[in-house]
Amino acid sequence: MQLAFAFDLARCSGCMACVVACLDEKDLPDAAHAFRHVIGFENPGTAPPTLSFFSLSCLHCADAPCVTVCPAGSLQKRDLDGIVTFNRDLCMGCRSCESACPFGAPRFPEKDTMAKCDFCLERIEARQQPACVRVCPTRALRFGPVDELTEETARKASLNILEVFG
Amino acid sequence: MNRDSGAFSNAGPDAAALRNCKASPVGGGIELRKTICAICNPLSHCGIDAYVRDGVVIKVEGSDNPHNGGTLCAKGAASRQYIYHKDRLRTPLLRTGEKGSGEFWPISWEEALDIAAQRLNSIKEESGAESVAFFAGYPKWMRPFLKRLAHSFGSPNYCTESSTCSTAAFLAAKLNYGCFGRPDLGNAKCLLVWSANPFYSNTSMVRRLLDARDRGLKIIEVGPLVTPLTRHADVHLRIRPGTSGALALGMANVIIEEELYDRDFVENWTLGFDDFKKYAGNFSLERTEAITGVPAHLTRQAARLYAKTRPAALQTSASPTVHHTNGVQNHRALTALIGLTGNFDVRGGNYVRPPAYLYVPGPPSTREHEYEQSRPWSEMAPRMGVERFPVWSRVIAEAQAMHLPFQIQTETPYPIRSVVGFGLNHRMWPGCDFMYESLKKLDFFLQVELFMTDTCKAADLILPACTSFERSELKFYPEKFVIWTTPVIEPLGDSRPDATIIFDLARRIAPEDALLTRGYEANVDWILEPTGLTVEKLKQHPGGLSLKDIPQVPFRKYEKSGFPTPSGKMEFASTVLREFGLDPLPAYKEPELGPVGRPELLKDFPLILTTGARLPMFVHSRTFRLPWTNGLRPEPMLDINPEDAANRDIAQGDTVRLSTPRNSIEVKANITQIVSRGVINIYHGYRDPEINTLFEPDYLDPISGFPGFKSLLCKVEKSI
């Protein structure tokens, strides 16, 4: 099984509640160190322009480059659910993961020790949603096994298409 | 996995699972306790599940109640830094240095309350109770108790932060209809959103708004700024700030000319339609475009969509349409569209539900307003500002706080010598430096606050309040849900709930009010009496109580009882305004310091400044000091259109000088198309720079007294 986040671009309003929920859950000192980021864009080509927001954290990639490059074996991919975990004690602060990650997920709240989204492992194990998913006021963020998320997205898209025909 | 599916639930986990819920330090003994967030407005106030260990909140999340459904916004999610901030006041403080010096000495509560009572009672004896003004800021939970205290003390001068927020919109609707209804979102087929951004100001409603959109709700958005709503809108009417009234009249003209209005409602239930029709006839599509900047075809499209899609609801906001020098009349024009199209008090339209408590629509109804008015106006001196704002004083049961600094300064018709402020922030006033100087002139300024704010520095005595996590309060939700919270932690230091402070003061300054002497819970019970609820009963439901057995309020109540206006009808022509010699029609006037109002200023001040639109992580000044929220937007930037920036050689992040005829400040530039050409937008409430120094203290709507915060001529230059 692969757990994943699903993000509905059409519903995100850029409110950044997910960022703050992450800070609160992970006891991080300030916004610069959050494991989740919200980036806003002004869409050209519409008049007036419209706004889009993207909420991004570690995507727990199927083939995670950070795991491959980590020389210390700090980063591991769990067989159980595909979560990319990390072990702070093994991290030697070489920042290879930072260079390898295409999404800017590895963070360094303590100077030379990597930290990142662990899918709120403790919450998952307590059958709770990750903090960012729980808090999301527009329900733009969801999570679950990737197959189920895909299925749900397809169902929603089908309903939208059916509506067009009436 | 669906977030509502059983596997990962919103319900609390079992105790064993909780032990590992926080990453560090791992330990047992965590308890989940229910409270509410009171950082923003009463229509939100989301339920909170506080994770408490050893008497300390270690995490928060949204309660899974019918209101916020487990969610929170960025502000509520930052509650921990709000509760435990180093600036929290922990003990009563008595001024020792000069006013404004910030030098205070800690004293005991007993001493502090005695000093307060002695000062207030002697000022009352010397100059009359009216020379003490009582002020309630944010949040609003202490208001009924403070208003009663003011009147029982004998002062008519109870005023609130609502002198710049929401009340003018209510006043406008009240002149038209005698009451107002909020949008019935669940049943509406079209939503006309007029200068509101619920994504950042009323976060708990947005999941339902988007769900309604998924079901096919049509959305029309009006407003000068591009917001997160704009991409969901079928049409966006991007007006020049301050021209809502003209746009509404232009839309009304289309609806009348094309006979799309509700003939039956207009003939049977309205006053002054013929005059309104004639007046709206002046707002042809071409003229409306010339005034508002909205292309004629879009105005027509929006008017048709709103009038033809039944039922349609109008979503307004607390301030943007009324923060103009013609605010009330503009808001009257746009709310007139509801009646014109027959959408007043109907299913899916603007549905009138009498308030339950603290601005939240019921049912049930409480005795809040009866409770507050412990002494009739006739037995007190005239309220401050009654001559300057007679319409306000007729319709609104408070004094207009914008007049406060003027009366402190002029001492006419009587002096204001003391202010008892609960969360008073002088930066709320236009010309906030004038307000600050006025506060320093007082003989006795008592401030009750959470944090050591700059306003506190002008105080003679400061009393430390506590947050919603540290007190008990009554909270009704529009979803027929009520909760009586109990403290999830002890108050920090020697801080106390505002209500406790009020009742302790009452025993000393209004001892003859028998009800007030009975204390907080007895007073809440008195307010609750018609509902059959009591504090005792509510205490048995610590997670809140569902009231779904209460019958629904009927639609079209006016068919039985008429409208609560002087004529008993919806008034296109206001009887009250006519009585005060004002234009009874919702007449359009240009913003006073605007490009048409003062064309001679255009050469020096070619841009329009609009202030105070919401950002998602701030509400007024309340979360600036938290690293979690402040870090999301550390710089107080002004928004400027790319063309305006290019013309001034301004690049992203450059420091610029923003000037109005009154003052000039330095701030960084954010180049963005959320503002159109010619418009500058900036968030309010920062400590530095002080945006409200750019406004004259008397830049006010003559009807409501609301400041013209959302339209003022300005210029922007690159700083050297």
Side-chain angles (χ1 to χ4, degrees):
Chain A
M1 198 235 320
Q2 171 72 54
L3 276 182
F5 290 108
F7 174 68
D8 188 343
L9 184 69
R11 285 180 90 94
C12 181
S13 68
C15 79
M16 300 195 241
C18 51
V19 178
V20 180
C22 177
L23 294 164
D24 186 41
E25 174 67 29
K26 297 298 182 190
D27 294 322
L28 295 166
D30 59 61
H33 295 116
F35 301 158
R36 184 170 277 286
H37 289 263
V38 173
I39 297 139
F41 298 94
E42 296 182 8
N43 307 317
T46 56
T50 54
L51 306 176
S52 290
F53 301 92
F54 211 97
S55 173
L56 195 64
S57 73
C58 172
L59 294 177
H60 302 273
C61 304
D63 182 8
C66 60
V67 174
T68 313
V69 300
C70 179
S74 165
L75 285 148
Q76 298 287 334
K77 192 156 174 71
R78 294 218 306 191
D79 287 339
L80 174 68
D81 48 22
I83 295 177
V84 176
T85 61
F86 61 97
N87 183 339
R88 295 157 46 94
D89 295 340
L90 297 180
C91 177
M92 46 193 228
C94 69
R95 298 198 177 217
S96 301
C97 51
E98 191 179 32
S99 316
C101 176
F103 305 108
R107 317 293 305 170
F108 293 83
E110 291 160 52
K111 208 165 158 245
D112 284 325
T113 308
M114 190 277 260
K116 70 167 190 68
C117 164
D118 65 355
F119 229 109
C120 285
L121 214 50
E122 302 88 349
R123 291 177 58 86
I124 294 287
E125 284 168 359
R127 314 300 289 168
Q128 294 289 293
Q129 301 153 341
C132 56
V133 174
R134 163 85 180 225
V135 81
C136 179
T138 62
R139 300 195 162 150
L141 273 175
R142 291 174 300 131
F143 88 107
V146 73
D147 304 348
E148 286 182 31
L149 291 173
T150 309
E151 173 93 24
E152 200 180 306
T153 305
R155 194 182 313 125
K156 194 177 161 193
S158 307
L159 284 172
N160 286 343
I161 293 165
L162 280 173
E163 196 167 282
V164 175
F165 294 104
Chain B
M1 199 168 309
N2 190 300
R3 61 174 294 138
D4 296 323
S5 76
F8 289 80
S9 74
N10 264 359
D14 60 50
L18 260 180
R19 253 187 273 287
N20 294 317
C21 256
K22 281 294 286 188
S24 71
V26 174
I30 297 171
E31 215 186 313
L32 267 189
R33 294 188 189 159
K34 303 277 183 185
T35 183
I36 62 170
C37 168
I39 292 175
C40 83
N41 72 76
L43 291 179
S44 292
H45 284 186
C46 297
I48 293 243
D49 288 0
Y51 288 57
V52 181
R53 187 172 52 208
D54 301 331
V56 176
V57 179
I58 59 163
K59 176 190 163 56
V60 299
E61 60 192 19
S63 297
D64 190 20
N65 67 27
H67 185 68
N68 50 304
T71 70
L72 287 176
C73 73
K75 305 174 283 285
S79 286
R80 254 199 312 154
Q81 290 198 333
Y82 191 73
I83 305 168
Y84 295 111
H85 199 276
K86 64 173 173 47
D87 293 349
R88 274 288 300 273
L89 296 162
R90 287 158 190 266
T91 175
L93 294 170
L94 184 66
R95 180 172 63 82
T96 51
E98 290 290 301
K99 285 205 190 214
S101 66
E103 290 166 36
F104 295 92
W105 186 255
I107 57 171
S108 73
W109 271 103
E110 211 47 38
E111 223 179 324
L113 290 165
D114 285 346
I115 292 170
Q118 188 270 323
R119 297 292 287 127
L120 294 172
N121 285 331
S122 67
I123 289 171
K124 177 178 172 179
E125 203 165 298
E126 292 157 19
S127 313
E130 62 273 16
S131 60
V132 179
F134 294 74
F135 177 90
Y138 246 41
K140 310 187 185 195
W141 82 290
M142 83 294 278
R143 288 188 176 186
F145 316 111
L146 186 64
K147 179 161 158 70
R148 187 179 175 98
L149 174 65
H151 297 334
S152 291
F153 176 72
S155 176
N157 291 323
Y158 163 81
C159 51
T160 70
E161 136 310 318
S162 296
S163 288
T164 62
C165 180
S166 186
T167 310
F170 174 71
L171 169 60
K174 193 138 165 109
L175 292 172
N176 286 9
Y177 300 98
C179 55
F180 191 63
R182 295 183 190 278
D184 180 15
L185 185 60
N187 296 305
K189 293 208 165 66
C190 174
L191 189 67
L192 170 54
V193 182
W194 207 295
S195 282
N197 174 8
F199 288 97
Y200 296 168
S201 63
N202 198 358
T203 324
S204 48
M205 79 166 274
V206 295
R207 67 185 192 280
R208 277 175 281 227
L209 175 61
L210 291 175
D211 289 347
R213 177 72 180 144
D214 284 349
R215 288 196 304 270
L217 177 79
K218 300 287 181 199
I219 297 177
I220 303 162
E221 186 188 22
V222 178
L225 305 180
V226 172
T227 75
L229 183 69
T230 308
R231 61 181 302 170
H232 302 286
D234 295 275
V235 49
H236 179 210
L237 309 182
R238 202 178 194 190
I239 53 170
R240 167 165 67 89
T243 62
S244 281
L247 181 70
L249 289 160
M251 286 175 68
N253 190 40
V254 171
I255 291 167
I256 295 168
E257 272 191 344
E258 300 190 4
E259 305 209 355
L260 301 174
Y261 65 98
D262 187 326
R263 200 171 274 276
D264 180 61
F265 179 86
V266 164
E267 277 172 17
N268 294 305
W269 293 106
T270 67
L271 178 75
F273 177 69
D274 290 340
D275 290 342
F276 176 74
K277 178 181 171 179
K278 199 172 152 205
Y279 182 67
N282 298 325
F283 291 82
S284 66
L285 284 170
E286 296 66 34
R287 178 154 182 251
T288 305
E289 175 169 343
I291 297 171
T292 64
V294 176
H297 73 278
L298 290 183
T299 303
R300 182 165 49 216
Q301 184 192 343
R304 287 176 178 169
L305 186 61
Y306 175 68
K308 287 181 176 178
T309 317
R310 302 288 294 266
L314 172 66
Q315 170 79 55
T316 55
S317 183
S319 302
T321 53
V322 286
H323 275 171
H324 294 289
T325 49
N326 193 49
V328 166
Q329 290 289 50
N330 286 353
H331 201 79
R332 282 189 68 223
L334 64 98
T335 49
L337 295 173
I338 305 168
L340 185 66
T341 53
N343 280 304
F344 193 81
D345 208 16
V346 299
R347 186 183 161 82
N350 286 76
Y351 177 27
V352 180
R353 294 162 64 190
Y357 186 60
L358 284 174
Y359 311 89
V360 173
S365 291
T366 64
R367 291 199 284 183
E368 176 187 0
H369 298 299
E370 204 181 329
Y371 171 81
E372 292 174 335
Q373 199 73 36
S374 57
R375 194 187 297 271
W377 295 118
S378 57
E379 291 178 16
M380 296 182 278
R383 276 174 277 172
M384 61 182 185
V386 68
E387 281 167 14
R388 191 175 180 192
F389 305 113
V391 178
W392 166 284
S393 304
R394 166 74 66 87
V395 180
I396 304 300
E398 302 177 9
Q400 188 12 309
M402 292 301 99
H403 190 64
L404 180 57
F406 291 95
Q407 191 153 340
I408 294 172
Q409 295 287 353
T410 61
E411 304 182 12
T412 322
Y414 54 82
I416 300 286
R417 294 179 53 199
S418 174
V419 169
V420 177
F422 280 71
L424 190 152
N425 176 6
H426 71 276
R427 292 202 177 92
M428 182 186 88
W429 274 258
C432 47
D433 46 326
F434 175 65
M435 178 60 184
Y436 189 72
E437 288 311 311
S438 304
L439 288 171
K440 277 168 55 179
K441 186 172 179 289
L442 292 168
D443 289 334
F444 182 60
F445 174 25
L446 167 62
Q447 167 85 322
V448 182
E449 247 300 354
L450 281 171
F451 305 107
M452 179 52 95
T453 62
D454 288 339
T455 306
C456 283
K457 290 172 188 158
D460 298 284
L461 179 64
I462 307 172
L463 301 178
C466 62
T467 69
S468 57
F469 287 66
E470 302 152 75
R471 67 186 183 223
S472 283
E473 73 186 281
L474 175 67
K475 177 69 197 174
F476 279 93
Y477 289 100
E479 295 83 7
K480 291 193 185 175
F481 183 73
V482 61
I483 186 168
W484 171 264
T485 64
T486 48
V488 300
I489 51 167
E490 289 293 310
L492 253 65
D494 270 341
S495 66
R496 290 184 179 177
D498 305 89
T500 307
I501 299 170
I502 290 169
F503 286 99
D504 281 343
L505 274 176
R507 287 184 195 97
R508 291 166 169 85
I509 65 168
E512 67 287 358
D513 184 332
L515 181 54
L516 275 184
T517 60
R518 282 164 55 203
Y520 178 40
E521 291 189 11
N523 280 256
V524 174
D525 277 342
W526 195 96
I527 292 168
L528 278 173
E529 198 266 346
T531 66
L533 298 166
T534 60
V535 171
E536 260 331 291
K537 186 173 170 191
L538 290 172
K539 278 181 182 170
Q540 290 158 27
H541 302 273
L545 177 64
S546 176
L547 302 170
K548 49 179 171 293
D549 295 337
I550 292 178
Q552 201 64 29
V553 178
F555 295 110
R556 298 182 196 275
K557 292 174 279 299
Y558 58 84
E559 287 181 350
K560 267 197 176 158
S561 47
F563 286 87
T565 54
S567 63
K569 294 187 166 179
M570 175 209 161
E571 299 194 344
F572 284 112
S574 163
T575 310
V576 174
L577 292 185
R578 190 190 300 276
E579 189 187 320
F580 286 105
L582 297 160
D583 196 329
L585 291 171
Y588 176 68
K589 277 188 200 156
E590 284 285 332
E592 267 173 35
L593 270 174
V596 182
R598 295 288 296 278
E600 77 280 8
L601 290 176
L602 268 178
K603 197 171 139 284
D604 290 332
F605 300 97
L607 301 169
I608 298 171
L609 174 65
T610 188
T611 74
R614 289 278 172 86
L615 292 166
M617 70 296 282
F618 300 135
V619 51
H620 308 315
S621 62
R622 304 205 82 200
T623 52
F624 279 132
R625 45 169 60 73
L626 320 185
W628 285 345
T629 43
N630 192 53
L632 298 171
R633 194 179 190 274
E635 285 287 344
M637 295 176 285
L638 66 70
D639 295 322
I640 183 169
N641 182 276
E643 280 186 56
D644 290 327
N647 290 342
R648 291 162 178 77
D649 193 27
I650 293 168
Q652 177 69 20
D654 277 356
T655 300
V656 296
R657 180 155 288 281
L658 167 64
S659 312
T660 65
R662 183 173 194 261
N663 197 20
S664 140
I665 59 173
E666 279 204 328
V667 62
K668 286 191 175 162
N670 178 43
I671 300 175
T672 169
Q673 299 207 54
I674 74 162
V675 285
S676 51
R677 214 181 144 184
V679 176
I680 299 296
N681 174 56
I682 189 164
Y683 186 77
H684 63 298
Y686 280 97
R687 181 183 197 179
D688 183 26
E690 290 189 287
I691 309 306
N692 285 358
T693 59
L694 297 170
F695 296 84
E696 291 290 351
D698 63 355
Y699 191 57
L700 307 172
D701 178 342
I703 298 178
S704 66
F706 267 44
F709 283 145
K710 294 195 166 46
S711 186
L712 178 76
L713 288 177
C714 73
K715 70 175 161 187
V716 171
E717 305 150 294
K718 191 170 173 170
S719 289
I720 305 150

